[in-house]
Amino acid sequence: FSYCVFHDTATPEISTLALHDAGPIGFTIAPSAEIIGGAAPGVSSGEALAEMERDGLVQHVVTQNVDNLHQVAGSHNVAEIHGNRFKHRCINCVARFERDEVSLDKIPPRCPRCPGLVKGDGVMFGEPIPADVMETCQQQAMLADCMLLIGTSAMVYPAAGLPAVAQRRGAHLIEVNPMETALTHTCD
């Protein structure tokens, strides 16, 4: 089986593209990363998924989380629909950078690869999901033989539509959630 995991334990954030446009770009880069920086994976679903990836059972993790904990736990194939609060992204060429790869000496910061502006990689409300990430998510959903739905509300689109894409292609859906969702009754 080729497993694609849809993992979503995030709750909506108070961040919008309008707020981003209203003030200095720096607020989207440092504060939330510093707050999340204290989080640690512990014994978590992230570590279990990383172990399943090492064992060849999970091919890809698709997440709406922005906390980098899948990577910290050891996963390598991760598509972050809402970005990563520990990275920067050019709004022009969509290149992603580690935090220390972009100089914050000039505000707004400029992309090291093109003349574009750099912002935090997190996708804000009102901002489109980067096309390369959405394409990866769609491809993984279409390739999956089985999709694990872990900790999702199944209410935030377009991510909530990925299980249906997988299921239309014949994939089994397995839900692991503390509560029923709109997808519960469609799972195997």
Side-chain angles (χ1 to χ4, degrees):
F1 279 110
S2 172
Y3 285 89
C4 177
V5 178
F6 175 54
H7 187 245
D8 168 25
T9 58
T11 56
E13 298 175 64
I14 302 174
S15 61
T16 66
L17 192 54
L19 285 174
H20 178 272
D21 291 342
I25 205 163
F27 92 92
T28 64
I29 294 172
S32 59
E34 290 168 6
I35 292 167
I36 295 170
V43 176
S44 67
S45 60
E47 288 179 332
L49 294 173
E51 183 176 336
M52 291 172 73
E53 181 181 330
R54 284 189 299 275
D55 292 344
L57 298 173
V58 167
Q59 303 303 310
H60 216 93
V61 174
V62 173
T63 184
Q64 293 184 131
N65 298 345
V66 298
D67 54 19
N68 202 49
L69 292 182
H70 285 290
Q71 292 85 338
V72 171
S75 289
H76 297 284
N77 298 316
V78 180
E80 298 166 308
I81 294 175
H82 292 148
N84 183 317
R85 291 289 188 190
F86 294 93
K87 293 186 178 181
H88 302 304
R89 177 172 29 100
C90 176
I91 61 176
N92 185 46
C93 72
V94 195
R96 288 172 184 82
F97 306 96
E98 297 298 324
R99 288 168 62 179
D100 61 355
E101 293 179 294
V102 175
S103 171
L104 298 179
D105 292 339
K106 282 180 128 180
I107 300 294
R110 296 288 177 171
C111 178
R113 295 188 189 165
C114 79
L117 296 177
V118 172
K119 64 177 263 337
D121 186 39
V123 175
M124 293 179 254
F125 290 104
E127 179 182 13
I129 295 166
D132 62 327
V133 174
M134 215 43 239
E135 183 179 326
T136 296
C137 294
Q138 291 283 341
Q139 287 173 345
Q140 292 303 317
M142 293 176 68
L143 291 170
D145 297 309
C146 182
M147 183 179 279
L148 305 175
L149 313 176
I150 302 173
T152 181
S153 66
M155 294 174 35
V156 180
Y157 283 84
L162 293 171
V165 170
Q167 197 169 48
R168 279 195 300 272
R169 303 273 302 161
H172 297 280
L173 301 180
I174 299 172
E175 184 177 48
V176 181
N177 276 317
M179 67 193 98
E180 282 194 7
T181 70
L183 297 173
T184 300
H185 300 291
T186 65
C187 292
D188 297 307

